[in-house]
Amino acid sequence: MKKPTPTNREELRTRIRAAGLRSTSARMAVLERLEAATNPLSHAELAEELVPHGLDRATVYRNLIDMAEVGLISRSELGDHVWRFEIRREGHKHQSEHPHFVCVTCGEVSCLPNVNVDISPSPGSKKSVIGELTEILFKGRCGRCV
């Protein structure tokens, strides 16, 4: 996990305030951890890291929900009934429509930022059968589990 720099902290604080939320120490801690993550994290994973630093599980959860509601982070459920959260990075289209990969053996979840899924109508079609994508999920075995 990368350590937040003072500039990065101020940028995160500004983003929280711009979203209409107060920049509390709990929100900063949650957002900083998501900023450092390389894959979506569950509430349990975040709480495991943040509770020893003085936050309680309920505070972590409330802040995740608050920040998801204002669009600072994305919340997705990848077929296992566990909500996972990831930061929406400025300047990137890091929304729910980007694909994820779930390893069916170890459960590891990864973003697939360089995978594009084209849902435009097929040649000869007037319109796509898909009206709106809400989630793209690939399942298989990761490189460690093959």
Side-chain angles (χ1 to χ4, degrees):
M1 176 172 82
K2 64 184 175 186
K3 189 102 171 137
T5 63
T7 303
N8 190 4
R9 288 189 61 121
E10 196 52 44
E11 288 170 11
L12 293 177
R13 189 178 322 281
T14 300
R15 288 184 67 199
I16 291 170
R17 290 178 180 150
L21 298 174
R22 286 185 24 237
S23 177
T24 65
S25 59
R27 284 194 183 115
M28 286 295 297
V30 171
L31 205 56
E32 284 172 348
R33 179 58 191 102
L34 289 173
E35 173 72 22
T38 57
N39 57 329
L41 299 173
S42 68
H43 166 253
E45 291 167 322
L46 285 160
E48 183 178 320
E49 290 187 39
L50 297 175
V51 165
H53 297 285
L55 299 179
D56 62 72
R57 294 177 64 82
T59 299
V60 172
Y61 182 77
R62 278 192 308 272
N63 280 288
L64 286 168
I65 298 305
D66 289 347
M67 289 189 291
E69 286 178 355
V70 296
L72 284 173
I73 61 176
S74 295
R75 177 175 73 166
S76 49
E77 192 272 319
L78 304 174
D80 59 358
H81 306 293
V82 175
W83 285 110
R84 288 186 178 78
F85 301 86
E86 57 193 320
I87 196 163
R88 289 186 173 176
R89 300 184 194 290
E90 286 187 349
H92 293 89
K93 190 175 181 185
H94 199 80
Q95 312 261 344
S96 60
E97 65 269 1
H98 76 275
H100 291 94
F101 174 80
V102 178
C103 178
V104 296
T105 303
C106 69
E108 176 85 19
V109 176
S110 304
C111 292
L112 301 174
N114 297 322
V115 175
N116 294 313
V117 177
D118 184 6
I119 63 164
S120 56
S122 57
S125 262
K126 290 185 181 172
K127 72 179 214 179
S128 175
V129 228
I130 301 171
E132 176 186 6
L133 281 178
T134 58
E135 192 67 53
I136 303 166
L137 177 64
F138 295 98
K139 290 185 177 186
R141 288 190 183 83
C142 69
R144 291 189 313 268
C145 295
V146 174

